[in-house]
């Protein structure tokens, strides 16, 4: 790997190497190799059931929770394998945060939702925690809306605000990568727009990987796009991966073209 | 419909019956003297049940102290850690605990726990502690099954969300899942309280049944239920009425506990 020193543009935040994923006897992903760049938004698109969420969930080892899961190949975060036996999973999950499809605020106050992460990573000082909650809520443009009701239950917020709270909660542990699994699909257009603006801001500091079923959204927000599809054996594969503008103007693969021009999916 | 009505009317009949039987003695002795009276001497016309209220409270609290930590840990193990095969073995085994007749629990306590306490901790052995241990075991099925169901019924997203923040599995349980399942777990505890307070047979056999305020957990006491169980066989007249009145007190306390449990589970 002496080459990587010569070509800094080839350095990736996350790299997958011939990743294979099995759920029991079901082969879900085959030989996925891709590199994800820092400080950018990468969109994973493709028809339902092509394994895009499965791939995303590999990046912070969320699939480990599913019984019978088998993972082949390797995934590197800053050049280090995250599947290495000596690695502490909670450290990896702290570095690679995740926002889910449906808002999953915890049944506790808005404030407690934000500080629960940092609290368990050793921040005990009250004023420091208050500072974190304020800055994270400001980053997701929720501060003005909730600053007077921080002690109220987060479950009372409307869905759009809940999802932004979930993003703020993920930011509070200072991740390096943020995974978003169709995080706008349960939201109204206005909340979706707010979250897309938010992604663009966050991408200046973090690398963001989103799974989306909306091609419009991929075009609007992402710098890079990965198109996935199941092959003839019904196994999810990566078909094409390039800059979003290139892929949507000039797809290299016939299947990508068929999908983005709306011939199927 | 008719069957449903018959079960409700049975409840109504029992309620009316014990109130009719027990109310006169309460009005005669006075509510305050009945509940806070220190002397229970039916033959001299003294009907104070305070020592038994203390006795009931002591064994019930003891049972909860024994049963709740074990029960909740067991529920966490079954819902979060146990492989399916282990869970499928444990679940019916725990239900079986509920099926053992209470007299068997009492007999077992008398043979093993009472002598053990007498030899190693002192006192007569027949004690609050012995009853607490046995009742703690008897309320396990209630506590485990209700806590387990409330943990299992939490959306999976809570756990995933907590882990995605880099919390360990244990932190996720302790700080996210248990608080989220709080209402179910509190309901389990309250129902366990009711069960411990209402249990009679096992308690009669191991609690000593002396009517006195206990000084330590190694002292024997008499509970409200055992008072009725022991004396009903030969009581007549006012004495009998006083036992029914004891039943009214017990009935009200348990009604309050069950209503609390229902209130907690409904308020989400």
């Amino acid at each position: 790997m002496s080459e990587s020193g010569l070509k800094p543009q080839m350095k990736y935040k996350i790299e997958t190497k011939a990743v294979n994923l099995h759920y029991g006897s079901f082969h879900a992903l085959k030989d996925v190799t891709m590199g994800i760049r820092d400080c950018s938004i990468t969109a994973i698109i493709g028809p339902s059931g092509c394994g895009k969420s499965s791939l995303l969930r590999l990046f912070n080892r969320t699939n480990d929770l599913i019984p019978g899961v088998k993972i082949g190949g390797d995934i590197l975060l800053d050049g280090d394998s995250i599947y290495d036996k000596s690695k502490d999973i909670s450290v990896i999950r702290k570095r690679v945060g995740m926002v889910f499809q449906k808002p999953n605020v915890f049944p506790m106050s808005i404030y407690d939702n934000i500080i629960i992460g940092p609290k368990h990573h050793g921040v005990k000082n009250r004023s420091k925690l208050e500072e974190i909650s304020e800055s994270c809520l400001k980053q997701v443009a929720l501060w003005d809306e909730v600053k007077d009701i921080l002690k109220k239950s987060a479950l009372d917020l409307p869905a759009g605000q809940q999802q932004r709270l979930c993003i703020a909660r993920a930011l509070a542990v200072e991740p390096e990568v943020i995974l978003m699994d169709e995080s706008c699909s349960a939201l109204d257009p206005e909340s979706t727009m707010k979250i897309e603006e938010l992604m663009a801001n966050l991408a200046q500091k973090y690398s963001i990987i989103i799974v989306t079923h909306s091609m419009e959204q991929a075009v609007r927000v992402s710098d890079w796009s990965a198109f996935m599809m199941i092959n003839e054996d019904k196994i999810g594969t990566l078909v094409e991966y390039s800059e979003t503008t290139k892929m949507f103007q000039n797809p290299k693969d016939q299947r990508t073209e068929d999908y983005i021009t709306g011939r199927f999916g | 419909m008719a069957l449903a009505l018959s079960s409700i009317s049975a409840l109504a009949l029992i309620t009316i019956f014990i109130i009719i039987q027990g109310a006169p003695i309460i009005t005669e002795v006075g509510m305050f003297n009945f509940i806070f009276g220190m002397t229970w001497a039916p033959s001299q016309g003294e009907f104070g049940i305070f020592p038994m209220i203390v006795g009931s409270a002591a064994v019930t609290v003891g049972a909860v102290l024994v049963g709740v930590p074990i029960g909740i840990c067991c529920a966490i193990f079954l819902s979060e850690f146990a492989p399916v095969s282990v869970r499928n073995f444990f679940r019916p085994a725990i239900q079986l605990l509920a099926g053992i007749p209470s007299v068997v629990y009492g007999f077992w306590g008398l043979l093993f726990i009472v002598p053990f306490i007498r030899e190693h901790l002192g006192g007569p052995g027949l004690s609050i502690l012995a009853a607490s241990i046995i009742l703690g075991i008897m309320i396990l099925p209630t506590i485990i099954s209700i806590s387990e169901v409330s943990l299992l019924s939490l959306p999976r997203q809570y756990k995933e969300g907590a882990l995605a923040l880099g919390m360990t599995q244990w932190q996720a349980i302790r700080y996210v899942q248990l608080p989220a399942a709080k209402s179910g777990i509190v309901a389990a505890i309250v129902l366990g309280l009711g069960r411990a307070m209402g249990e009679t047979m096992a308690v009669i056999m191991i609690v000593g049944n002396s009517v006195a305020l206990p000084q330590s957990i190694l002292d024997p006491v008499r509970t409200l239920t055992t008072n009725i169980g022991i004396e009903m066989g030969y009581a007549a007249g006012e004495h009998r009425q006083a036992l029914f009145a004891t039943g009214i007190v017990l009935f009200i306390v348990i009604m309050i506990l069950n209503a609390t449990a229902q209130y907690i589970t409904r308020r989400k």
Side-chain angles (χ1 to χ4, degrees):
Chain A
M1 283 292 169
S2 57
E3 256 178 292
S4 62
L6 299 171
K7 296 180 185 172
Q9 73 272 26
M10 292 299 286
K11 278 203 173 164
Y12 296 116
K13 187 71 191 171
I14 291 184
E15 247 181 304
T16 71
K17 296 200 158 156
V19 165
N20 278 274
L21 174 69
H22 295 259
Y23 298 117
S25 61
F26 174 63
H27 195 171
L29 289 175
K30 189 181 174 191
D31 293 335
V32 176
T33 299
M34 66 191 288
I36 285 156
R37 287 156 184 83
D38 207 357
C39 296
S40 65
I41 302 181
T42 305
I44 304 174
I45 57 170
S48 318
C50 68
K52 44 190 198 300
S53 286
S54 292
L55 177 63
L56 191 78
R57 291 162 64 94
L58 285 172
F59 295 147
N60 72 343
R61 302 192 57 173
T62 306
N63 281 333
D64 292 17
L65 303 175
I66 299 166
V69 79
K70 266 204 319 257
I71 297 154
D74 205 355
I75 296 180
L76 310 181
L77 175 63
D78 283 336
D80 269 339
S81 168
I82 62 170
Y83 282 90
D84 193 81
K85 290 266 189 303
S86 65
K87 283 284 184 317
D88 182 348
I89 300 188
S90 54
V91 172
I92 290 159
R93 294 201 181 119
K94 178 181 179 300
R95 295 175 64 191
V96 185
M98 185 154 193
V99 180
F100 295 82
Q101 180 169 6
K102 280 198 214 134
N104 63 340
V105 297
F106 302 140
M108 50 183 82
S109 74
I110 296 170
Y111 177 73
D112 287 336
N113 261 281
I114 302 277
I115 63 161
I116 192 166
K119 228 162 108 182
H120 287 99
H121 294 295
V123 183
K124 301 278 179 240
N125 185 317
R126 247 189 88 117
S127 60
K128 178 81 185 132
L129 288 170
E130 279 167 10
E131 214 174 277
I132 291 173
S133 102
E134 181 173 340
S135 87
C136 291
L137 286 168
K138 277 182 174 161
Q139 284 188 71
V140 299
L142 200 56
W143 176 250
D144 290 330
E145 291 159 65
V146 303
K147 64 172 185 248
D148 300 321
I149 53 167
L150 289 175
K151 299 287 171 203
K152 275 201 169 172
S153 169
L155 293 172
D156 294 340
L157 295 173
Q161 292 189 359
Q162 283 194 16
Q163 192 64 307
R164 279 186 282 153
L165 179 59
C166 289
I167 298 173
R169 185 177 69 190
L171 296 179
V173 298
E174 300 179 331
E176 299 159 34
V177 181
I178 300 170
L179 311 174
M180 302 178 94
D181 189 355
E182 297 196 22
S183 301
C184 297
S185 64
L187 303 181
D188 56 280
E190 198 191 337
S191 305
T192 303
M193 207 180 73
K194 280 194 175 148
I195 287 179
E196 287 179 2
E197 280 168 18
L198 180 62
M199 288 181 199
N201 285 332
L202 295 175
Q204 291 164 12
K205 271 170 68 186
Y206 307 91
S207 29
I208 300 178
I209 309 172
I210 64 169
V211 159
T212 177
H213 57 237
S214 149
M215 280 180 284
E216 293 83 358
Q217 184 173 52
V219 174
R220 279 197 303 266
V221 303
S222 71
D223 305 305
W224 296 82
S225 287
F227 173 63
M228 294 182 65
M229 220 182 112
I230 50 171
N231 66 7
E232 57 282 358
D233 301 320
K234 308 244 183 259
I235 304 169
T237 52
L238 178 64
V239 175
E240 186 167 346
Y241 176 44
S242 67
E243 279 171 88
T244 303
T245 41
K246 275 190 195 153
M247 182 186 287
F248 280 87
Q249 277 161 16
N250 188 14
K252 284 199 198 70
D253 195 288
Q254 184 60 40
R255 289 169 295 177
T256 315
E257 188 175 344
D258 288 350
Y259 182 70
I260 62 182
T261 53
R263 249 170 266 172
F264 75 97
Chain B
M1 180 74 180
L3 288 171
L5 274 180
S6 71
S7 69
I8 291 172
S9 54
L11 176 69
L13 278 175
I14 292 171
T15 313
I16 293 165
F17 185 72
I18 63 169
I19 289 175
I20 289 175
Q21 293 285 319
I25 192 76
I26 294 183
T27 46
E28 193 189 315
V29 181
M31 181 67 103
F32 184 86
N33 288 338
F34 183 69
I35 291 181
F36 293 102
M38 295 297 292
T39 323
W40 176 263
S43 49
Q44 279 111 56
E46 295 239 37
F47 302 104
I49 60 167
F50 191 66
M52 294 170 239
I53 292 178
V54 172
S56 271
V59 297
T60 307
V61 169
V64 166
L65 291 180
V66 172
V68 168
I70 300 175
I72 291 179
C73 291
C74 198
I76 292 172
F77 171 73
L78 287 179
S79 64
E80 295 296 324
F81 297 102
V84 177
S85 55
V86 175
R87 196 186 297 170
N88 287 345
F89 169 75
F90 266 87
R91 214 177 262 149
I94 287 163
Q95 292 312 316
L96 214 60
L97 267 184
I100 299 175
S102 58
V103 67
V104 176
Y105 277 103
F107 192 50
W108 184 75
L110 197 59
L111 282 183
F112 295 100
I113 296 190
V114 168
F116 184 88
I117 292 173
R118 188 166 53 223
E119 280 156 33
H120 294 91
L121 300 171
L126 299 161
S127 58
I128 296 174
L129 181 62
S132 298
I133 293 171
I134 288 295
L135 286 174
I137 297 170
M138 291 177 75
I139 63 175
L140 279 178
T142 313
I143 304 226
I144 294 171
S145 55
I146 298 175
S147 306
E148 191 199 351
V149 165
S150 61
L151 281 170
L152 283 175
S153 65
L154 291 179
R156 202 186 53 177
Q157 284 84 352
Y158 286 163
K159 181 181 183 177
E160 286 187 343
L163 295 176
L165 291 174
M167 293 167 82
T168 60
Q169 194 177 4
W170 178 243
Q171 287 171 336
I173 292 168
R174 169 69 184 78
Y175 295 99
V176 176
Q177 290 164 271
L178 277 184
K182 194 172 59 192
S183 66
I185 292 172
V186 172
I189 295 171
V190 176
L191 284 175
L193 272 173
R195 170 113 169 74
M197 184 161 278
E199 176 53 40
T200 310
M201 196 59 226
V203 182
I204 286 184
M205 296 169 77
I206 53 179
V207 84
N209 301 315
S210 61
V211 189
L213 281 182
Q215 305 299 316
S216 88
I217 56 167
L218 299 176
D219 286 346
V221 288
R222 180 180 291 194
T223 69
L224 294 168
T225 51
T226 56
N227 189 41
I228 302 171
I230 292 169
E231 298 190 358
M232 195 50 104
Y234 59 84
E238 282 193 332
H239 184 191
R240 204 171 109 98
Q241 288 179 357
L243 293 180
F244 272 106
T246 312
I248 296 177
V249 173
L250 195 62
F251 188 79
I252 291 170
V253 173
I254 289 178
M255 287 292 256
I256 291 172
L257 286 178
N258 283 346
T260 314
Q262 288 209 348
Y263 173 74
I264 295 166
T265 38
R266 254 185 236 155
R267 185 200 54 175
K268 276 290 171 187

